[in-house]
Amino acid sequence: MEPTGVIFELRKYTVHDGPGIRTTVFFKGCPLRCRWCHNPESMNPGIETIAASNHRGCPPPSEAENRETIGRMVSVEEVLREIEKDTIFYDQSGGGATFSGGEPLMQADFLLALLNACAEREIHRALDTCGYASWAAIEKILPRVNLFLYDLKLMDEAEHLRYTGVSNIPILNNLQKLSGTGIPLIIRIPLIPGVTDTEENLGQIAEFIRPLKNIQRVGLLPYNLLSEDKRKRFGLPDRLGHLEVQSAEELSRVEDRFVSMGYEVKIGG
Ligand code: SF4
């Protein structure tokens, strides 16, 4: 029997999740608890209901009516049907499908089935991962992945634990192993003001990736203010408070650091 999975969104025509025009499938469930999470709807692996962000109409809906369901159970066939609708755009733009989340590796069987189905149809496959998974789980899906979008957040283990709830050791070890496989990598760095965007942390990331092979690009992800509102709606504790987004000059300084190392850099992906 084909495995089923839980996703919270299937987004068409994305242009920041790998090359070309893509369809991005957002899996539900994440092993991390980043204080800045921009996708809090992805954390819980199950289908859930939360208070809707706004309501229209008079009289206003009751509390029970004013709820929004996050997540849905889907089959491989159902997701594939949606992905396949845009094959013409993938072919013209060099795009494909991206599996993101949350953490897709938390639903490894479903992920593998989707990767296999896309591979059979020669659809390009990118995996957006936080890297927190067993190497055995990554090895299983490796042959089916064309590109990894790999997040690096904090290099200091204690700080990583403090801000994401988990150690960064498996994440760093997996990235070193992946760099030896020949599969292209895009390193993505969320720039959280005063947390991940410090000189010290960015310097350590730069030194860590310097010897790695197959890095196609460094993606810088500026802080997203909308995530503050989203976290409130999901009832997550506001332990970061309000943060100011980086100025254009600050972003350009970070960009220069990686450009001077010879990397292609893209802000926003
Ligand atoms: S890894 Fe991504 S999805 Fe998971 S908690 Fe962190 S920011 Fe949210």
Side-chain angles (χ1 to χ4, degrees):
M1 203 172 76
E2 287 269 279
T4 52
V6 180
I7 64 169
F8 67 91
E9 193 178 351
L10 192 150
R11 202 179 290 165
K12 304 272 208 166
Y13 313 117
T14 56
V15 291
H16 295 298
D17 297 326
I21 296 171
R22 314 189 68 82
T23 295
T24 302
V25 184
F26 292 90
F27 285 49
K28 231 169 153 334
C30 185
L32 271 60
R33 290 290 176 270
C34 303
R35 292 189 186 183
W36 58 80
C37 185
H38 52 283
N39 276 341
E41 60 270 60
S42 70
M43 284 183 177
N44 183 335
I47 297 167
E48 58 194 317
T49 57
I50 60 151
S53 55
N54 49 35
H55 57 74
R56 295 188 188 93
C58 185
S62 67
E63 204 179 303
E65 286 166 336
N66 194 35
R67 307 281 294 172
E68 192 181 329
T69 301
I70 310 287
R72 61 191 166 106
M73 179 83 81
V74 285
S75 65
V76 173
E77 201 178 83
E78 211 176 326
V79 175
L80 191 66
R81 217 169 23 241
E82 285 305 314
I83 292 174
E84 272 192 303
K85 282 181 187 166
D86 295 323
T87 308
I88 188 161
F89 296 110
Y90 313 148
D91 291 346
Q92 284 171 0
S93 67
T98 298
F99 302 103
S100 180
E103 175 50 62
L105 284 161
M106 277 189 76
Q107 300 184 59
D109 290 344
F110 179 55
L111 173 64
L112 182 59
L114 277 172
L115 288 167
N116 282 336
C118 289
E120 278 163 22
R121 288 153 184 83
E122 298 185 359
I123 296 171
H124 182 270
R125 296 138 339 255
L127 179 63
D128 181 12
T129 179
C130 69
Y132 192 81
S134 69
W135 180 248
I138 295 176
E139 257 186 331
K140 266 196 201 160
I141 50 97
L142 263 186
R144 295 304 201 190
V145 178
N146 300 118
L147 170 70
F148 278 91
L149 311 176
Y150 203 100
D151 292 358
L152 275 186
K153 300 177 174 77
L154 283 157
M155 292 304 292
D156 181 272
E157 191 193 1
E159 288 288 281
H160 199 279
L161 194 56
R162 179 169 164 226
Y163 281 100
T164 73
V166 303
S167 160
N168 59 2
I169 302 291
I171 296 171
L172 301 178
N173 287 344
N174 286 338
L175 180 56
Q176 280 173 325
K177 286 182 186 160
L178 266 182
S179 99
T181 62
I183 301 172
L185 293 159
I186 292 180
I187 303 295
R188 307 229 281 190
I189 308 170
L191 296 174
I192 312 306
V195 182
T196 65
D197 73 348
T198 62
E199 275 297 303
E200 193 186 3
N201 186 53
L202 293 171
Q204 287 173 345
I205 289 180
E207 285 319 303
F208 184 80
I209 65 173
R210 195 186 288 279
L212 301 184
K213 299 183 199 84
N214 302 311
I215 296 181
Q216 211 177 55
R217 186 164 81 209
V218 172
L220 302 174
L221 310 174
Y223 184 61
N224 184 348
L225 275 180
L226 290 176
S227 62
E228 294 184 2
D229 177 56
K230 261 192 181 181
R231 290 197 296 275
K232 271 189 211 135
R233 286 177 56 218
F234 279 81
L236 297 176
D238 182 16
R239 289 187 290 173
L240 282 182
H242 171 66
L243 301 177
E244 293 297 327
V245 292
Q246 291 89 7
S247 65
E249 291 75 30
E250 283 166 330
L251 284 177
S252 153
R253 263 203 304 279
V254 182
E255 184 179 13
D256 289 348
R257 174 195 286 276
F258 291 100
V259 169
S260 70
M261 292 170 70
Y263 293 117
E264 183 193 330
V265 177
K266 184 174 167 194
I267 295 178

